[in-house]
Amino acid sequence: SQQGEEDPQALSIQEGENATMNCSYKTSINNLQWYRQNSGRGLVHLILIRSNEREKHSGRLRVTLDTSKKSSSLLITASRAADTASYFCATDARNEKLVFGKGTKLTVNP
Amino acid sequence: DTAVSQTPKYLVTQMGNDKSIKCEQNLGHDTMYWYKQDSKKFLKIMFSYNNKELIINETVPNRFSPKSPDKAHLNLHINSLELGDSAVYFCASSAGAGEAEAFFGQGTRLTVV
């Protein structure tokens, strides 16, 4: 069964604005990961946050994790047209596999 | 050097045919996966292998048979292809099952006509 669910399904913003995407999941996890997929390409890992962490930064990316609400958010600050892509959260299930959500399609308009 | 490479990138074939997709990783990872991405971009895991051993088989029809000759390779063979098999198939690998970042191949777009 699907574990992660991203929200919104689609997001359109102007260059320079911040983009926030949310992910909710159902069962307990060891870690949560965010990936980016450009059109017609494979997924690229962005950031991993462990269940005992609450916030993590990587460049213009900020990820938060709230295990009590079983949710995570990905914030992209000062967005660029090159950030246009689909973003997926993925959770591990008993350390056997990564289960992905349906993704948020982000469009950054120049 | 490509970390995870899969071939072919595009595959168009007729219903009923048998086809294979090959995947190789040069990262020294123990775990490899096959994912299917449908037209709505939903990524669903199909198989997971750890050190050549199958550890996950997600209720995939037995027309799909993965084969791992060694831990650097995980091939996917599909028998009697159906229209509903049309999708993009991704191979991925990671250092540990679920606990580490996964590296993805560029995908194989399979079209069954």
Side-chain angles (χ1 to χ4, degrees), chain A residues 3-7 22-26 69-72 89:
Chain A
Q3 171 76 312
E5 188 88 25
E6 289 90 343
D7 167 59
N22 302 299
C23 169
S24 59
Y25 57 92
K26 295 174 184 172
K69 294 181 180 178
K70 291 187 169 58
S71 67
S72 173
C89 68

PDB file of all heavy atoms in Angstrom, chain A residues 3-7 22-26 69-72 89:
ATOM      1  N   GLN A   3       2.607   4.595   0.884  1.00  0.00           N
ATOM      2  CA  GLN A   3       2.965   5.138   2.173  1.00  0.00           C
ATOM      3  C   GLN A   3       2.884   6.655   2.185  1.00  0.00           C
ATOM      4  O   GLN A   3       2.211   7.238   3.031  1.00  0.00           O
ATOM      5  CB  GLN A   3       4.393   4.668   2.530  1.00  0.00           C
ATOM      6  CG  GLN A   3       5.004   5.302   3.735  1.00  0.00           C
ATOM      7  CD  GLN A   3       4.485   4.782   5.045  1.00  0.00           C
ATOM      8  OE1 GLN A   3       3.284   4.665   5.244  1.00  0.00           O
ATOM      9  NE2 GLN A   3       5.393   4.487   5.956  1.00  0.00           N
ATOM     10  N   GLY A   4       3.587   7.306   1.266  1.00  0.00           N
ATOM     11  CA  GLY A   4       3.649   8.764   1.287  1.00  0.00           C
ATOM     12  C   GLY A   4       2.610   9.384   0.365  1.00  0.00           C
ATOM     13  O   GLY A   4       2.223   8.810  -0.642  1.00  0.00           O
ATOM     14  N   GLU A   5       2.164  10.567   0.748  1.00  0.00           N
ATOM     15  CA  GLU A   5       1.188  11.289  -0.057  1.00  0.00           C
ATOM     16  C   GLU A   5       1.606  12.749  -0.062  1.00  0.00           C
ATOM     17  O   GLU A   5       1.615  13.399   0.989  1.00  0.00           O
ATOM     18  CB  GLU A   5      -0.194  11.144   0.563  1.00  0.00           C
ATOM     19  CG  GLU A   5      -1.320  11.693  -0.283  1.00  0.00           C
ATOM     20  CD  GLU A   5      -1.874  10.676  -1.266  1.00  0.00           C
ATOM     21  OE1 GLU A   5      -1.741   9.475  -0.997  1.00  0.00           O
ATOM     22  OE2 GLU A   5      -2.432  11.082  -2.285  1.00  0.00           O
ATOM     23  N   GLU A   6       1.958  13.266  -1.245  1.00  0.00           N
ATOM     24  CA  GLU A   6       2.402  14.651  -1.314  1.00  0.00           C
ATOM     25  C   GLU A   6       1.218  15.592  -1.545  1.00  0.00           C
ATOM     26  O   GLU A   6       0.200  15.226  -2.140  1.00  0.00           O
ATOM     27  CB  GLU A   6       3.417  14.847  -2.456  1.00  0.00           C
ATOM     28  CG  GLU A   6       4.776  14.213  -2.192  1.00  0.00           C
ATOM     29  CD  GLU A   6       4.833  12.799  -2.700  1.00  0.00           C
ATOM     30  OE1 GLU A   6       3.763  12.216  -2.950  1.00  0.00           O
ATOM     31  OE2 GLU A   6       5.940  12.273  -2.857  1.00  0.00           O
ATOM     32  N   ASP A   7       1.425  16.800  -1.104  1.00  0.00           N
ATOM     33  CA  ASP A   7       0.393  17.817  -1.233  1.00  0.00           C
ATOM     34  C   ASP A   7       1.097  19.168  -1.396  1.00  0.00           C
ATOM     35  O   ASP A   7       2.023  19.452  -0.645  1.00  0.00           O
ATOM     36  CB  ASP A   7      -0.483  17.801   0.028  1.00  0.00           C
ATOM     37  CG  ASP A   7      -1.363  19.020   0.127  1.00  0.00           C
ATOM     38  OD1 ASP A   7      -2.162  19.236  -0.805  1.00  0.00           O
ATOM     39  OD2 ASP A   7      -1.240  19.772   1.109  1.00  0.00           O
ATOM     40  N   ASN A  22       4.310  19.315   0.902  1.00  0.00           N
ATOM     41  CA  ASN A  22       4.100  18.522   2.101  1.00  0.00           C
ATOM     42  C   ASN A  22       3.962  17.047   1.763  1.00  0.00           C
ATOM     43  O   ASN A  22       3.562  16.683   0.655  1.00  0.00           O
ATOM     44  CB  ASN A  22       2.825  18.997   2.814  1.00  0.00           C
ATOM     45  CG  ASN A  22       2.904  20.458   3.169  1.00  0.00           C
ATOM     46  OD1 ASN A  22       3.761  20.885   3.920  1.00  0.00           O
ATOM     47  ND2 ASN A  22       2.010  21.252   2.589  1.00  0.00           N
ATOM     48  N   CYS A  23       4.298  16.244   2.738  1.00  0.00           N
ATOM     49  CA  CYS A  23       4.218  14.798   2.573  1.00  0.00           C
ATOM     50  C   CYS A  23       3.637  14.212   3.847  1.00  0.00           C
ATOM     51  O   CYS A  23       4.100  14.541   4.950  1.00  0.00           O
ATOM     52  CB  CYS A  23       5.609  14.236   2.300  1.00  0.00           C
ATOM     53  SG  CYS A  23       5.744  12.438   2.371  1.00  0.00           S
ATOM     54  N   SER A  24       2.634  13.368   3.707  1.00  0.00           N
ATOM     55  CA  SER A  24       2.101  12.665   4.874  1.00  0.00           C
ATOM     56  C   SER A  24       2.285  11.177   4.660  1.00  0.00           C
ATOM     57  O   SER A  24       2.248  10.693   3.523  1.00  0.00           O
ATOM     58  CB  SER A  24       0.623  13.005   5.082  1.00  0.00           C
ATOM     59  OG  SER A  24      -0.129  12.647   3.948  1.00  0.00           O
ATOM     60  N   TYR A  25       2.493  10.456   5.731  1.00  0.00           N
ATOM     61  CA  TYR A  25       2.694   9.014   5.636  1.00  0.00           C
ATOM     62  C   TYR A  25       1.917   8.321   6.733  1.00  0.00           C
ATOM     63  O   TYR A  25       1.382   8.968   7.633  1.00  0.00           O
ATOM     64  CB  TYR A  25       4.189   8.672   5.699  1.00  0.00           C
ATOM     65  CG  TYR A  25       4.904   9.172   6.933  1.00  0.00           C
ATOM     66  CD1 TYR A  25       5.025   8.375   8.066  1.00  0.00           C
ATOM     67  CD2 TYR A  25       5.459  10.455   6.973  1.00  0.00           C
ATOM     68  CE1 TYR A  25       5.674   8.831   9.198  1.00  0.00           C
ATOM     69  CE2 TYR A  25       6.108  10.920   8.098  1.00  0.00           C
ATOM     70  CZ  TYR A  25       6.220  10.109   9.209  1.00  0.00           C
ATOM     71  OH  TYR A  25       6.856  10.569  10.328  1.00  0.00           O
ATOM     72  N   LYS A  26       1.857   6.992   6.652  1.00  0.00           N
ATOM     73  CA  LYS A  26       0.905   6.283   7.502  1.00  0.00           C
ATOM     74  C   LYS A  26       1.526   5.510   8.660  1.00  0.00           C
ATOM     75  O   LYS A  26       0.980   5.461   9.758  1.00  0.00           O
ATOM     76  CB  LYS A  26       0.066   5.327   6.650  1.00  0.00           C
ATOM     77  CG  LYS A  26      -0.814   6.041   5.644  1.00  0.00           C
ATOM     78  CD  LYS A  26      -1.509   5.068   4.724  1.00  0.00           C
ATOM     79  CE  LYS A  26      -2.308   5.822   3.661  1.00  0.00           C
ATOM     80  NZ  LYS A  26      -2.857   4.915   2.630  1.00  0.00           N
ATOM     81  N   LYS A  69       2.880  13.858  13.807  1.00  0.00           N
ATOM     82  CA  LYS A  69       1.828  14.082  12.811  1.00  0.00           C
ATOM     83  C   LYS A  69       2.055  13.246  11.559  1.00  0.00           C
ATOM     84  O   LYS A  69       1.260  13.314  10.619  1.00  0.00           O
ATOM     85  CB  LYS A  69       1.790  15.561  12.417  1.00  0.00           C
ATOM     86  CG  LYS A  69       1.364  16.491  13.541  1.00  0.00           C
ATOM     87  CD  LYS A  69       1.329  17.930  13.078  1.00  0.00           C
ATOM     88  CE  LYS A  69       0.900  18.841  14.216  1.00  0.00           C
ATOM     89  NZ  LYS A  69       0.902  20.270  13.819  1.00  0.00           N
ATOM     90  N   LYS A  70       3.163  12.502  11.559  1.00  0.00           N
ATOM     91  CA  LYS A  70       3.502  11.681  10.387  1.00  0.00           C
ATOM     92  C   LYS A  70       3.491  12.557   9.127  1.00  0.00           C
ATOM     93  O   LYS A  70       2.796  12.264   8.141  1.00  0.00           O
ATOM     94  CB  LYS A  70       2.553  10.498  10.231  1.00  0.00           C
ATOM     95  CG  LYS A  70       2.715   9.446  11.324  1.00  0.00           C
ATOM     96  CD  LYS A  70       1.876   8.208  11.041  1.00  0.00           C
ATOM     97  CE  LYS A  70       2.235   7.063  11.983  1.00  0.00           C
ATOM     98  NZ  LYS A  70       2.079   7.379  13.394  1.00  0.00           N
ATOM     99  N   SER A  71       4.262  13.626   9.191  1.00  0.00           N
ATOM    100  CA  SER A  71       4.298  14.522   8.044  1.00  0.00           C
ATOM    101  C   SER A  71       5.675  15.161   7.906  1.00  0.00           C
ATOM    102  O   SER A  71       6.444  15.264   8.878  1.00  0.00           O
ATOM    103  CB  SER A  71       3.225  15.608   8.174  1.00  0.00           C
ATOM    104  OG  SER A  71       3.534  16.466   9.245  1.00  0.00           O
ATOM    105  N   SER A  72       5.959  15.580   6.689  1.00  0.00           N
ATOM    106  CA  SER A  72       7.219  16.250   6.384  1.00  0.00           C
ATOM    107  C   SER A  72       6.930  17.364   5.387  1.00  0.00           C
ATOM    108  O   SER A  72       5.950  17.314   4.645  1.00  0.00           O
ATOM    109  CB  SER A  72       8.210  15.254   5.781  1.00  0.00           C
ATOM    110  OG  SER A  72       9.383  15.905   5.318  1.00  0.00           O
ATOM    111  N   CYS A  89       8.339  12.389  -2.025  1.00  0.00           N
ATOM    112  CA  CYS A  89       8.873  11.927  -0.756  1.00  0.00           C
ATOM    113  C   CYS A  89       8.862  10.403  -0.781  1.00  0.00           C
ATOM    114  O   CYS A  89       8.080   9.781  -1.498  1.00  0.00           O
ATOM    115  CB  CYS A  89       8.066  12.455   0.430  1.00  0.00           C
ATOM    116  SG  CYS A  89       6.396  11.795   0.590  1.00  0.00           S
TER     117      CYS A  89
END
